[in-house]
Amino acid sequence: MVTKEKQYVDYADALTAFSTGLGEPEWMLQLRLEALNSIEKLDLPIIERLRYNRWPLFQVPNLTGAPAAKSVDITQFMEDKADAARVVQAGNDTLIETLPESLKEKGVIFTDIQTALKEHSELVQEAYMQIAVKPQKNKISAFHAAFMNSGLFLYVPKNVVVDEPLEAIFIQNSLVEDSFIKHVLVYADVNSSFNYVERFFTAGQEKNAANILVEVVAKQGAQVKFSAVDQLGENTTTYFNRAGHTFRDASIDWAIGVMNNGSTIADLDTNLVGDGSSSDLKAVGISSGKQTQVIDSNVVSYGKSTVGNIYQHGVILDRATLTFNGIGHIIKGAKGSDAQQESRVLMLSDKARGDANPILLIDENEVTAGHAASVGRVDPEEMYYLMSRGIEKTEAERLVIRGFLGSVISAIPLKSIRDELVETIERKLTSR
């Protein structure tokens, strides 16, 4: 891994060799080089209540294309389910890729991004950093576009309904020094419907950066339910950007557990562009130790009669910091739209720092909008009620917290993922 000791444009030759070695199409190389040339000219994205300009997010990855010196044992991160629709990646390598024949026959594509670039180049080009996020959006997106080193492509064709969840497991290889620059593109064609679930882990203790961009493009009438549990390591500094774009009457429902152990920005953006489209975002976070986590949720209504909901709950332990920014924006012309949000934070330590920052930006008159926010401690009346029935204080506190976070947990379609999220919460609470 190389830190920034020279101008990014000086990496043009190495980046060209990297892209050529992977067999990427010409349009992808040009996208990389154009993004590379713009990095220095762009600003960092503004994250309210956070100064992160000194975070080590711009570590240029290994561009040799050589395999990692140490490999990850993936068995500790997954169950053995041979019939599952699943992709498992460790570092930059895809180790498992399974998709039932019935879905292949319907035209579903579920593969690593490099295979998709070779076999489905035109389809990837339609959406890759063209709709939900543009490379020149900000300094971080440009860096990502230039140096992306692994990823996933999921495409569900027109009118196809997938009943079983499609699952991805991404394991950062921190047994070695290398930036984790992962790109996930979820492309839902007209009137398709499916559940997608992803999990992020870290193996190893090396100090690395993670720059992860997830794009969800929902064409007209598509219905996407997106669930995620993020558990990256203590020595990983992370910028997550999950971005959605809805066409007419489409919906993207997010259920996200931000359970990382290192400093993290979770930037969650949904643009409701088509009339009648909607997004329901549920996010939970737990911060512990000395970490800083910010969950920045932004839903923008461009189309008429759109509905955007933001629902965020978080718990803070020890000396940690957790900030919720919720931004609901209704653009001029988006008549009949509805923007609602709720952000609530529980602090379980006198030394914890929490913030809930609701923002409504309304540029149209004929709309509905509202917000609620609170930062506080466990309700003493709830504790009294439980303890009066013989429940120990520690157990009563845990029950209250699980109830507090339960709405997001219940929205995740896979029982194994729900159970894992509960176990993660329990582990963080009992390690105090």
Side-chain angles (χ1 to χ4, degrees):
M1 181 177 61
V2 182
T3 56
K4 180 180 174 291
E5 297 174 347
K6 54 185 178 180
Q7 297 294 311
Y8 291 114
V9 293
D10 295 335
Y11 290 98
D13 289 344
L15 195 57
T16 299
F18 177 71
S19 178
T20 303
L22 292 172
E24 293 180 346
E26 179 64 22
W27 68 262
M28 185 64 178
L29 172 58
Q30 292 307 312
L31 184 147
R32 286 185 182 274
L33 293 177
E34 289 172 10
L36 183 73
N37 288 328
S38 68
I39 296 173
E40 300 283 359
K41 306 169 189 175
L42 297 169
D43 296 326
L44 289 170
I46 296 173
I47 306 295
E48 297 290 338
R49 313 290 174 93
L50 178 68
R51 300 178 69 177
Y52 67 101
N53 56 301
R54 295 183 179 274
W55 285 23
L57 292 171
F58 294 93
Q59 298 171 332
V60 175
N62 177 3
L63 297 176
T64 65
K70 298 179 181 178
S71 58
V72 174
D73 177 10
I74 65 172
T75 57
Q76 61 182 307
F77 300 104
M78 54 177 284
E79 298 176 351
D80 184 14
K81 295 189 294 185
D83 58 343
R86 169 189 280 179
V87 172
V88 179
Q89 297 181 352
N92 301 335
D93 301 320
T94 300
L95 303 181
I96 296 175
E97 187 177 299
T98 57
L99 187 67
E101 286 297 325
S102 60
L103 295 182
K104 292 180 182 178
E105 291 170 0
K106 292 179 179 179
V108 175
I109 302 169
F110 194 36
T111 188
D112 69 275
I113 194 71
Q114 293 301 333
T115 298
L117 284 167
K118 294 184 182 73
E119 299 180 0
H120 311 282
S121 176
E122 292 183 1
L123 188 60
V124 176
Q125 188 179 10
E126 285 180 19
Y128 185 93
M129 301 197 80
Q130 299 299 312
I131 301 173
V133 177
K134 299 292 181 65
Q136 283 75 28
K137 179 182 179 182
N138 55 56
K139 184 181 289 288
I140 293 178
S141 63
F143 182 89
H144 176 98
F147 293 109
M148 183 274 293
N149 55 8
S150 62
L152 176 76
F153 179 61
L154 168 60
Y155 171 74
V156 179
K158 182 178 179 180
N159 297 324
V160 170
V161 176
V162 180
D163 295 321
E164 294 299 317
L166 298 137
E167 182 183 6
I169 299 174
F170 304 111
I171 306 164
Q172 178 192 30
N173 185 358
S174 283
L175 299 169
V176 298
E177 288 188 13
D178 196 15
S179 288
F180 189 63
I181 307 180
K182 184 78 64 177
H183 193 103
V184 177
L185 176 56
V186 177
Y187 195 4
D189 214 329
V190 175
N191 294 325
S192 61
S193 178
F194 57 93
N195 292 323
Y196 167 76
V197 180
E198 66 181 22
R199 292 184 283 168
F200 281 88
F201 302 99
T202 298
Q205 297 295 322
E206 292 288 347
K207 292 183 178 181
N208 283 319
N211 181 327
I212 299 163
L213 174 55
V214 179
E215 300 183 276
V216 181
V217 177
K219 299 292 282 292
Q220 181 175 334
Q223 312 291 313
V224 180
K225 293 188 180 300
F226 183 108
S227 305
V229 181
D230 304 334
Q231 299 182 67
L232 293 175
E234 182 178 2
N235 293 325
T236 300
T237 302
T238 306
Y239 181 87
F240 269 107
N241 185 197
R242 290 186 169 103
H245 182 109
T246 59
F247 288 78
R248 185 182 181 90
D249 296 327
S251 70
I252 302 173
D253 292 339
W254 310 87
I256 299 174
V258 183
M259 302 287 155
N260 304 292
N261 295 307
S263 293
T264 302
I265 296 170
D267 191 358
L268 313 174
D269 304 318
T270 308
N271 289 330
L272 304 175
V273 178
D275 294 350
S277 62
S278 64
S279 178
D280 190 68
L281 167 62
K282 294 185 174 72
V284 296
I286 295 183
S287 289
S288 59
K290 296 181 180 180
Q291 76 174 142
T292 296
Q293 290 196 117
V294 177
I295 301 176
D296 192 82
S297 301
N298 187 0
V299 179
V300 183
S301 293
Y302 293 91
K304 297 176 182 178
S305 302
T306 58
V307 178
N309 296 318
I310 299 172
Y311 189 84
Q312 306 178 123
H313 280 193
V315 176
I316 317 174
L317 314 173
D318 310 318
R319 297 173 177 266
T321 299
L322 177 62
T323 300
F324 284 133
N325 294 320
I327 304 170
H329 191 179
I330 299 179
I331 299 295
K332 182 69 176 176
K335 294 182 183 297
S337 293
D338 186 8
Q340 303 291 332
Q341 60 175 285
E342 177 182 305
S343 297
R344 303 198 183 278
V345 177
L346 276 181
M347 295 190 297
L348 301 184
S349 167
D350 293 335
K351 297 176 182 178
R353 297 180 60 188
D355 199 356
N357 182 31
I359 300 172
L360 287 175
L361 304 173
I362 310 300
D363 300 329
E364 181 58 68
N365 292 322
E366 300 174 25
V367 300
T368 305
H371 64 77
S374 66
V375 178
R377 302 190 181 282
V378 174
D379 188 338
E381 292 186 4
E382 291 182 350
M383 291 291 293
Y384 175 79
Y385 176 84
L386 293 169
M387 292 174 65
S388 68
R389 280 152 178 77
I391 300 175
E392 295 288 337
K393 180 180 179 180
T394 302
E395 179 62 21
E397 192 175 65
R398 287 163 62 187
L399 288 173
V400 169
I401 292 167
R402 284 183 58 179
F404 180 74
L405 302 177
S407 60
V408 173
I409 297 171
S410 63
I412 295 175
L414 276 178
K415 182 179 183 300
S416 61
I417 305 298
R418 292 197 300 270
D419 293 344
E420 180 179 323
L421 187 52
V422 170
E423 290 173 7
T424 302
I425 293 168
E426 292 289 336
R427 184 170 63 251
K428 283 181 172 284
L429 292 175
T430 55
S431 65
R432 287 185 288 161

